[in-house]
Amino acid sequence: MPTLATIVFSNSLILGRIITHLDQKALAQLCLVGKQTWQLAVLRLWDRPVLRTIEQFERFSRTVGTALPFELRNYQRYGDLPRELDFSMLARRWDKLGYDLLAPVFKHCLRMYDIDMNLCQALHSDQFERLFADNPHIGKSLGYLNISETFFSATSIVSVLNMLPELRYLLVSETETDDSVLETISQSLPNLISLQIDRCELVSDVGIKALADGCPDLKCLTAKECWGILDTELVDKINAGNGWEDLDDSQDYDSYGHSNSEDNEDEGEGEDDANDFILEYLEEFSMASNLPGFHVQRNR
C-alpha cells in the first residue's frame, strides 16, 4: 500500500501546491532530493531570490550564468529564472554592491520585471548607465525600478529612463532627480502609473506640469518634502483630475509633504537586527552536485 509520501511525490499537482507554502531554506533542501522536486522547487526558489548578505550575492552573481543541470521548460541558465531582484534587505549594499557583482546579473537575467536598487550607493553614475546600455534586454521587460537614496546624476537617470519604455512603477526619492528627469518621464514612459519623488529638492513646478501634460495614465504620485514645488493649486488639480494619490497621506505632512511635526520618529526604528538572516540557501543548493547524474559546469 503506497505511503502518504509516495502519493505526494508521485503527484506533481499536490507537490506543486505544497511547494507554494515552503520557505527558501526548505525549497533549497527540496532541490537536493531529486530531479522532479528540483524542477518544481527551483522555479519558486529563483523567481525572487532572497539575498541577505554580500556573500550570498557573490554566489548568486557567479551562478546566474551557469547552465541548468536538467531540462526545464525553455530555460537554459539559472539567469533565465529570476523575475524580481530586491536588494532592500541586502546588508552592506551601500558600500559593497558594486559594478563587478551586478554586471553578470544584468547580463544573464533575461526576463527581469522588478529591480530594487535602493541605497546601492557604491555604484557610480557611469556604471549605472552601463548596466542598462550593455544589456538592452532589461528594457524590454522591466516594469518596476527603485533607485531611491542613490548618488546617480540626473543626466544618468535620464539616460537610463530612455532605455526603459515598459516601466510602470518608478521610485527615485532622495536622488538628484530634477525637472529634466520629470520631463523625460513625461516623454519616454507612456505606461507609467506610479511615481515616487520624495525629498527630491531639485524638482519644481516645471517638472510637475510636464508630468501633468505628458502622463495621462499616472495614478499615484508621492512628493513629500519637495521644497521646489510651490504651486499647490497645480498639484491639487492634478490629484483631482487624474485620480492621483492624495499627497496628504500623513498627519505629519501637508499636501507637499512639508513637515507639520517637530518630532518625527526615525525611520527603521524597531526593525529586526541585521544579523537575523536566513541560512545561506545558495550554499546548500551547491550540494546538489552530489546527486547521481547531476553535473553543473560553471562558465569561466
Side-chain angles (χ1 to χ4, degrees), residues 84-98:
E84 299 182 28
L85 282 182
D86 184 355
F87 307 149
S88 62
M89 295 301 293
L90 181 63
R92 303 300 301 271
R93 67 189 181 280
W94 48 87
D95 64 346
K96 296 294 186 180
L97 189 59

Side-chain angles (χ1 to χ4, degrees), residues 212-213 231-244 256:
D213 294 339
D231 189 347
T232 58
E233 292 185 0
L234 174 61
V235 176
D236 292 340
K237 181 178 179 181
I238 291 173
N239 287 338
N242 292 340
W244 285 6
Y256 288 93

Side-chain angles (χ1 to χ4, degrees), residues 2 13 28 38 47 63 76 110 117 138 140 154 156 181 183 192 196 297:
L13 180 60
W38 176 89
D47 184 69
T63 305
Q76 302 297 320
L110 302 180
M117 302 175 68
I138 295 290
K140 296 178 181 179
S156 292
V181 174
E183 289 170 354
L192 196 71
Q196 186 179 101
Q297 180 178 1

Side-chain angles (χ1 to χ4, degrees), residues 49-65:
V50 177
L51 304 168
R52 306 286 184 123
T53 69
I54 289 297
E55 291 73 22
Q56 285 182 338
F57 195 93
E58 287 174 347
R59 288 194 291 276
F60 176 77
S61 181
R62 291 194 300 266
T63 305
V64 288

Side-chain angles (χ1 to χ4, degrees), residues 3-44:
T3 64
L4 179 60
T6 302
I7 295 174
V8 169
F9 277 88
S10 63
N11 190 309
S12 59
L13 180 60
I14 296 176
L15 187 58
R17 292 291 183 87
I18 293 174
I19 283 175
T20 63
H21 299 284
L22 299 181
D23 60 19
Q24 297 288 309
K25 181 183 176 182
L27 288 170
Q29 292 172 332
L30 194 58
C31 284
L32 309 181
V33 174
K35 178 178 178 180
Q36 178 193 14
T37 55
W38 176 89
Q39 289 174 321
L40 292 171
V42 74
L43 288 171
R44 189 168 180 84

Side-chain angles (χ1 to χ4, degrees), residues 6-202:
T6 302
I7 295 174
V8 169
F9 277 88
S10 63
N11 190 309
S12 59
L13 180 60
I14 296 176
L15 187 58
R17 292 291 183 87
I18 293 174
I19 283 175
T20 63
H21 299 284
L22 299 181
D23 60 19
Q24 297 288 309
K25 181 183 176 182
L27 288 170
Q29 292 172 332
L30 194 58
C31 284
L32 309 181
V33 174
K35 178 178 178 180
Q36 178 193 14
T37 55
W38 176 89
Q39 289 174 321
L40 292 171
V42 74
L43 288 171
R44 189 168 180 84
L45 183 66
W46 279 77
D47 184 69
R48 187 180 184 184
V50 177
L51 304 168
R52 306 286 184 123
T53 69
I54 289 297
E55 291 73 22
Q56 285 182 338
F57 195 93
E58 287 174 347
R59 288 194 291 276
F60 176 77
S61 181
R62 291 194 300 266
T63 305
V64 288
T66 303
L68 294 173
F70 300 123
E71 181 179 346
L72 186 64
R73 300 180 183 176
N74 60 338
Y75 304 132
Q76 302 297 320
R77 301 176 183 274
Y78 283 103
D80 296 338
L81 304 180
R83 287 279 289 161
E84 299 182 28
L85 282 182
D86 184 355
F87 307 149
S88 62
M89 295 301 293
L90 181 63
R92 303 300 301 271
R93 67 189 181 280
W94 48 87
D95 64 346
K96 296 294 186 180
L97 189 59
Y99 178 81
D100 290 342
L101 286 179
L102 288 169
V105 174
F106 274 68
K107 177 181 178 180
H108 294 294
C109 292
L110 302 180
R111 61 187 198 104
M112 295 302 307
Y113 178 81
D114 181 324
I115 299 179
D116 189 331
M117 302 175 68
N118 167 259
L119 208 63
C120 291
Q121 298 178 347
L123 196 65
H124 301 155
S125 293
D126 61 322
Q127 296 171 333
F128 174 58
E129 288 186 61
R130 202 185 322 161
L131 285 174
F132 289 91
D134 291 348
N135 302 286
H137 58 270
I138 295 290
K140 296 178 181 179
S141 61
L142 195 65
Y144 175 101
L145 178 64
N146 184 356
I147 56 171
S148 299
E149 300 180 84
T150 55
F151 297 144
F152 308 140
S153 68
T155 302
S156 292
I157 296 173
V158 165
S159 177
V160 169
L161 292 181
N162 280 322
M163 306 178 204
L164 307 176
E166 302 302 319
L167 209 59
R168 295 171 60 82
Y169 303 88
L170 176 62
L171 293 79
V172 293
S173 296
E174 295 188 58
T175 63
E176 295 297 312
T177 291
D178 59 13
D179 290 335
S180 69
V181 174
L182 300 191
E183 289 170 354
T184 298
I185 291 172
S186 70
Q187 298 167 5
S188 303
L189 304 181
N191 300 315
L192 196 71
I193 62 176
S194 179
L195 176 63
Q196 186 179 101
I197 56 173
D198 297 342
R199 292 174 288 283
C200 290
E201 299 181 357
L202 301 179

